[in-house]
Amino acid sequence: MSQRGIPGEEAQMEADRVDDDGKDPEVPHDVDDDDDDDDDDDDDEVQHLWQVRDIQLGLVSGTLLLAGFLSGLAGWDVAAVVLSALALLVGGSTFVPGAVKKLARGKLGVGLLMTIGAVGATALGQVEEAATLAFLFSLSEGLEDYSLAKTRHSLRALLDLVPRQATVLREGAEVVVDPGELIEGDVMIVKPGERLATDGVIRTGRTALDTSAITGESMPIEVGPSSEVYAGAINGSGVLEVEVTSTADNNSLARIVHIVEVESSRRGATQRLADRIAKPLVPGILVAAALTVAVGFLVGDPALWLQRALVMVVAASPCALAISVPVTVVASIGAASRRGILVKGGAAMEVLGRVRTVALDKTGTLTRNQPAVIEVTATGQHTRDEVLDWAAALEARSEHPLAKAILAATETVPSAVEVEAVVGAGLTGTLAGRRLRLGRPGWIEAGPLAADVERMQQAGATAVLVEVDGHTVGAIAVRDELRPEAAAVVADLHAHGYTVAMLTGDNPTTARALAAEAGIDSVHSDLRPEDKSSIIRGLRDSGRVTAMVGDGVNDAPALASADLGVAMGAMGTDVAIETADVALMGDDLRLLLIAFEHARRTRRIMLQNVVLSIALISVLIPLALFGILGLATVVLIHEVAEVFVIANGVRAGRTKHLGVLANTAPRPSVLGATP
């Protein structure tokens, strides 16, 4: 089962962020957290490569190393040694202090291997090689810090969508304030073209909002009085008065950034694999080095075998392995968030990339969640308007999704009394002394309307019957239309090998009709929430990784039972974001396709980095042990490899392949996009 994080529980979040070693997993090196606590680069300050401290020291070390090399060519041997030693000291300052601190706490890391290698090389008189090691390692550490800072900056750039000023009504006058000064209950004035400073509810005004930067959907959203609006959305042509419902530090954008940054520390299977390999490797290679030195004493050439042992220690350094997955995860999650896809950590990202079965809820996921009355049939002398009035009289007291559709279909709503809900069946009540019932076929006998009810259901509509004084008087067909992109999305999923199922509480006839329209063969209908959860467990037992896509609230049991829970249209919905592993901020199903492709691409990059890192160590250790490669060569190969995996991991942060959802018309396959 997937693991969930609850953003509102700070203590629990902090506990979840600490790994088995008691270390914060957000630190780039899960194995070699060797940096000085005081030396960690502040992400809020690092915006350029040259601002990274390790890069600065690395460049100084490289300059001194080059000067020493040139001095050697000129025959100034003493100067060459002094300059190389200075290069070693400057470069080593980026990792040696941290390695010593960790060792004092009983922890072994990559930095310790590098420290041993540098000290050993110096002891053997190879100061230049030791300086080269320190120079290259400091640069790779700096590049790593910069890459993580950059990807986190790109995520936090979401907060830049909030304007620097907001206009509010205070004591009858318009006042310009900082968004941080807004409090709940304030009324913001949002003029055409301005961004919303925080979340709120429209009190007056109508407009079309551009939410593309938040949800990934570029089609404007029509809003008016009582509509909820969110920070960062751009107002269209109307002037709005918006009542503030959240402060700037707790609005939808701030919550998204906070959740992503916290949850990005959660590890996926690939990252755990890297950890499992790297953690025993450090003490293991130290033991192997000690045995190698012992062999040297046995064969009578301890100096030679000591040198090889030191080279082997450096060759076994899992720097690339340690950083390969974290960089990829941070970059990938940041990129997804900028397209309205909120992925809660590396574990969720990896499972998302392995999903092969997709279970879709019907209402609000496959459909628009905007049911409307499409047909009314009456018996005997009764009229369409009478049937609707009787139905509306009962539904006026109901919160059922169909109530809104029925109430919208009639101009007058009579006031019924003694209205009671019968769970799973319908409503009862009294109007003008007449006993009314409204509910599903079976609870109310269709009688003369049986053929009409069957026809309505076969057309994909939900049929409800109206009964007055024990006589069935009419049938109302309510239909929630499929999303325009639903059929194309399902076809795309099928084309790429996904198994697609639909889960719904609707009757079998209606469910089959809508499923056929969407192109779904596997249909599960007449389900209660616990039934959906049971179906999901059955799909998981088939051995295929299963994702449940629902609304994040009503489908909570099914979302929790799936390998991966995906919430649709979660913008501004705390429960949806907290329940699901992945939250799609927009309502366009194509976001699901984009999420799948992005996750699969990310997983490929993770595996590429892990395989390369393991292969590199496997090749370098024997070459170092038998003296084929020297210290300088091993260091160079290692650091080039680390730069490569960092660069490869950062590729996961590219957003070009994610696209922008410009309309709801079918479009070429998203899943078939090239990396």
Side-chain angles (χ1 to χ4, degrees), residues 82-254:
V82 171
L83 289 169
S84 297
L86 289 174
L88 172 61
L89 291 174
V90 174
S93 67
T94 63
F95 61 91
V96 173
V100 173
K101 287 183 178 181
K102 278 195 71 176
L103 185 61
R105 299 197 302 266
K107 294 179 179 284
L108 306 179
V110 175
L112 180 61
L113 297 183
M114 292 301 188
T115 301
I116 293 173
V119 172
T122 303
L124 294 173
Q126 300 180 17
V127 180
E128 293 83 0
E129 285 79 359
T132 302
L133 183 153
F135 161 60
L136 292 173
F137 191 61
S138 62
L139 285 184
S140 65
E141 293 285 277
L143 288 172
E144 174 190 319
D145 292 341
Y146 176 68
S147 66
L148 290 173
K150 186 177 179 181
T151 52
R152 289 192 175 117
H153 271 300
S154 65
L155 172 62
R156 296 175 185 176
L158 285 172
L159 297 177
D160 292 337
L161 297 176
V162 175
R164 298 184 181 276
Q165 295 180 329
T167 303
V168 296
L169 289 177
R170 298 265 174 93
E171 298 180 354
E174 295 186 6
V175 181
V176 177
V177 300
D178 185 275
E181 299 177 16
L182 294 171
I183 59 175
E184 295 184 19
D186 275 341
V187 177
M188 293 187 298
I189 305 297
V190 187
K191 300 175 182 178
E194 291 184 344
R195 290 187 183 271
L196 274 78
T198 191
D199 301 344
V201 176
I202 295 178
R203 292 305 177 215
T204 63
R206 294 184 178 275
T207 190
L209 290 181
D210 178 0
T211 63
S212 58
I214 307 167
T215 66
E217 301 174 18
S218 64
M219 292 295 292
I221 300 174
E222 299 291 334
V223 293
S226 300
S227 297
E228 294 184 353
V229 292
Y230 306 109
I234 302 174
N235 185 20
S237 58
V239 178
L240 303 177
E241 290 188 6
V242 179
E243 182 178 337
V244 173
T245 58
S246 66
T247 59
D249 59 354
N250 194 42
N251 61 38
S252 52
L253 284 178

Side-chain angles (χ1 to χ4, degrees), residues 148-417:
L148 290 173
K150 186 177 179 181
T151 52
R152 289 192 175 117
H153 271 300
S154 65
L155 172 62
R156 296 175 185 176
L158 285 172
L159 297 177
D160 292 337
L161 297 176
V162 175
R164 298 184 181 276
Q165 295 180 329
T167 303
V168 296
L169 289 177
R170 298 265 174 93
E171 298 180 354
E174 295 186 6
V175 181
V176 177
V177 300
D178 185 275
E181 299 177 16
L182 294 171
I183 59 175
E184 295 184 19
D186 275 341
V187 177
M188 293 187 298
I189 305 297
V190 187
K191 300 175 182 178
E194 291 184 344
R195 290 187 183 271
L196 274 78
T198 191
D199 301 344
V201 176
I202 295 178
R203 292 305 177 215
T204 63
R206 294 184 178 275
T207 190
L209 290 181
D210 178 0
T211 63
S212 58
I214 307 167
T215 66
E217 301 174 18
S218 64
M219 292 295 292
I221 300 174
E222 299 291 334
V223 293
S226 300
S227 297
E228 294 184 353
V229 292
Y230 306 109
I234 302 174
N235 185 20
S237 58
V239 178
L240 303 177
E241 290 188 6
V242 179
E243 182 178 337
V244 173
T245 58
S246 66
T247 59
D249 59 354
N250 194 42
N251 61 38
S252 52
L253 284 178
R255 290 197 301 271
I256 289 171
V257 173
H258 176 71
I259 292 169
V260 171
E261 289 191 326
V262 170
E263 296 292 338
S264 64
S265 65
R266 296 191 182 276
R267 295 151 136 84
T270 304
Q271 188 166 351
R272 288 193 295 270
L273 172 63
D275 293 346
R276 287 197 300 268
I277 295 171
K279 286 180 179 179
L281 181 62
V282 175
I285 198 63
L286 292 177
V287 172
L291 293 175
T292 302
V293 174
V295 169
F297 281 99
L298 292 175
V299 300
D301 196 355
L304 174 63
W305 288 94
L306 175 60
Q307 182 178 1
R308 292 182 178 182
L310 292 171
V311 177
M312 184 177 65
V313 166
V314 177
S317 172
C319 307
L321 182 63
I323 191 57
S324 60
V325 175
V327 168
T328 307
V329 167
V330 174
S332 178
I333 291 176
S337 69
R338 296 194 298 276
R339 287 294 183 269
I341 303 167
L342 179 62
V343 183
K344 297 172 66 174
M349 180 65 76
E350 185 161 354
V351 175
L352 183 62
R354 295 192 294 114
V355 167
R356 303 311 300 164
T357 296
V358 183
L360 299 165
D361 176 52
K362 178 178 77 70
T363 304
T365 302
L366 282 169
T367 64
R368 296 174 177 270
N369 201 21
Q370 297 175 349
V373 173
I374 61 172
E375 184 182 352
V376 180
T377 301
T379 63
Q381 301 300 313
H382 301 295
T383 65
R384 176 184 184 277
D385 289 340
E386 286 179 320
V387 172
L388 281 174
D389 285 347
W390 285 320
L394 295 175
E395 292 286 24
R397 304 291 183 90
S398 171
E399 296 181 356
H400 193 277
L402 298 182
K404 187 176 182 180
I406 292 174
L407 292 172
T410 182
E411 296 182 359
T412 59
V413 181
S415 181
V417 296

